[in-house]
Amino acid sequence: MLLSPSNGSTGGGDTVTIAGTDLGDATAVHFGSRQAAITGNTATTVTVVSPAGSGVVPVSVTTAGGPSGPEPFFYVPPPVVIGVSPSSGPLTGGGTIVITGHSLLTATAVSIGGSSVVPTIMSDSELQVTAPAHAAGVATVAVTTRGGVAGTASFTYVAAPNVTGFTPLTGLTLGGTTVTITGTDLQTTTGVTFGGIAAAFGVISGTTVAAITPAHALGAVAVAVTTTGGSSTAPGTYLYL
């Protein structure tokens, strides 16, 4: 006999087709010690609804000729999602999201904010998906496996930043000057540069970031901020004296 599928949820309720020969007039189908409801039967197939169970159980079909030899059926526990990395990204999507958890090996679909994406199964504890485009805000991440659905994780879509200014406008070539950068959607800042050189920074709020200027040669340089939503260059330049 051949079971299709050969696995299902521990809560039962999966439609399973058993293919073989001499299966007509089946009187019972057992998953271990539990009997399944028969919903269809021909000489070569029996369709049933799996009962609840756990682990690996033998499946047998009973007809007037007696019970068949058993075939294994694997009960899959419900998935558990522990984390989503990164936890935020741009409205345009396109980035890779890594979903970690347990019992993910039989994942069949992932939904992010209601948009279905195809998962790449890396292991029983990791999935990778490409983020779809979405409006700004928090989107629920739901993972569907043969064992059920986990929908407790989230991914935040962040609008592109807009840097509107900074102060002071000048500082020494040795660096070390604290510069306050203002704008919008700065809360997920991942980098600040002065003339392309990375600066130490701290996020104060969604509208303010404080950065320490790195050392640089004399001259005027651009100030740029990168967030998980994108990048923005401030109007004007910072002058190294």
Side-chain angles (χ1 to χ4, degrees):
M1 294 192 308
L2 179 66
L3 307 185
S4 180
S6 60
N7 53 45
S9 169
T10 54
D14 293 292
T15 298
V16 179
T17 299
I18 306 166
T21 57
D22 300 316
L23 300 179
D25 298 321
T27 57
V29 175
H30 286 88
F31 283 62
S33 60
R34 298 187 176 185
Q35 189 165 329
I38 298 174
T39 59
N41 185 202
T42 69
T44 56
T45 62
V46 182
T47 304
V48 299
V49 176
S50 64
S54 62
V56 184
V57 298
V59 176
S60 62
V61 177
T62 301
T63 68
S68 67
E71 289 293 330
F73 183 84
F74 300 84
Y75 279 102
V76 180
V80 175
V81 173
I82 296 175
V84 175
S85 179
S87 60
S88 61
L91 308 185
T92 54
T96 297
I97 300 176
V98 177
I99 302 170
T100 55
H102 304 297
S103 303
L104 305 179
L105 194 60
T106 62
T108 56
V110 173
S111 171
I112 300 179
S115 296
S116 182
V117 293
V118 179
T120 298
I121 301 171
M122 308 304 292
S123 68
D124 192 57
S125 59
E126 182 181 314
L127 304 176
Q128 291 187 5
V129 298
T130 299
H134 196 278
V138 178
T140 298
V141 178
V143 177
T144 300
T145 73
R146 291 294 302 163
V149 179
T152 57
S154 63
F155 181 82
T156 302
Y157 281 89
V158 182
N162 179 33
V163 177
T164 56
F166 57 88
T167 186
L169 303 179
T170 63
L172 299 178
T173 57
L174 293 176
T177 301
T178 299
V179 175
T180 300
I181 302 169
T182 55
T184 56
D185 296 302
L186 305 180
Q187 63 273 14
T188 63
T189 296
T190 58
V192 176
T193 60
F194 285 74
I197 299 176
F201 69 92
V203 176
I204 307 303
S205 68
T207 58
T208 307
V209 172
I212 306 298
T213 58
H216 197 281
L218 286 169
V221 299
V223 179
V225 174
T226 299
T227 73
T228 57
S231 298
S232 175
T233 299
T237 55
Y238 179 83
L239 182 61
Y240 277 96
L241 302 174

